[in-house]
Amino acid sequence: MSSLLFRAWSAAKRGDFAQAGQLYRSAGKLDAAVEMFLRAGELRAAAAAEVEMGKVFDAAKHLCEAGDRIEAADLLRDNRRYLQAAQLYVELGHLSQAVAMALEADKPLLAAQYLESKEKFYEAGKLLAAHEEHVGKAMLYFERALLGFPDT
């Protein structure tokens, strides 16, 4: 057993889970590091190790639990998990980011639904009008937008 691993084991044995996590991470034992960080309540450190392991969803979950929902959404976005990022952005009230993520995921109807939820009918129609297969739905949104204008 290497000196670093022995030190990590010793730290865990005495209940210093944060230190054990750092040592396991330095030794490249990321699974053990995550376990120790979680036992220490160090959710952000656990998420960082999970990102190194490619466990983006687990990392995002732990960031959310740590109260870093924007960072979690950005992490999902940066790792091309657009639909999951969109959902988090919606929950955070970041409509423009949610719409952008739905479009990145090639889900224009979902993007339009996000806009519709905020009664942005014209914007939803304009978005769908750019997609030939959704022109009919775009027209319905335009009609709803016109109905919202006051009579003159």
Side-chain angles (χ1 to χ4, degrees):
M1 177 184 291
S2 78
S3 168
L4 201 53
L5 290 176
F6 178 75
R7 289 175 42 214
W9 176 82
S10 296
K13 201 75 166 147
R14 69 176 179 272
D16 190 353
F17 300 117
Q19 178 67 24
Q22 292 171 359
L23 291 166
Y24 277 125
R25 188 173 182 189
S26 295
K29 302 292 184 184
L30 296 176
D31 281 325
V34 169
E35 182 183 340
M36 292 297 110
F37 287 137
L38 291 176
R39 288 184 74 180
E42 297 286 340
L43 298 172
R44 288 175 187 86
E50 288 166 332
V51 167
E52 287 182 49
M53 297 166 61
K55 294 183 176 182
V56 174
F57 291 117
D58 291 340
K61 178 184 142 218
H62 289 125
L63 287 171
C64 285
E65 289 173 9
D68 289 335
R69 293 167 52 110
I70 292 174
E71 187 176 341
D74 291 346
L75 174 67
L76 291 166
R77 177 202 63 212
D78 294 345
N79 284 275
R80 304 172 62 91
R81 307 302 203 275
Y82 299 126
L83 290 177
Q84 295 81 5
Q87 183 59 43
L88 263 179
Y89 284 130
V90 165
E91 292 171 14
L92 290 164
H94 296 190
L95 182 65
S96 62
Q97 289 98 326
V99 169
M101 292 300 96
L103 292 174
E104 283 290 335
D106 197 28
K107 301 289 184 187
L109 285 173
L110 181 60
Q113 288 172 349
Y114 291 153
L115 291 166
E116 178 183 11
S117 73
K118 299 297 182 187
E119 297 186 4
K120 295 182 175 278
F121 303 120
Y122 175 78
E123 292 85 349
K126 188 174 172 186
L127 185 149
L128 290 182
H131 299 271
E132 191 172 314
E133 67 273 18
H134 300 303
V135 170
K137 183 79 171 166
M139 291 302 166
L140 293 174
Y141 279 125
F142 287 139
E143 182 180 13
R144 286 184 74 185
L146 287 172
L147 291 173
F149 281 109
D151 293 331
T152 56

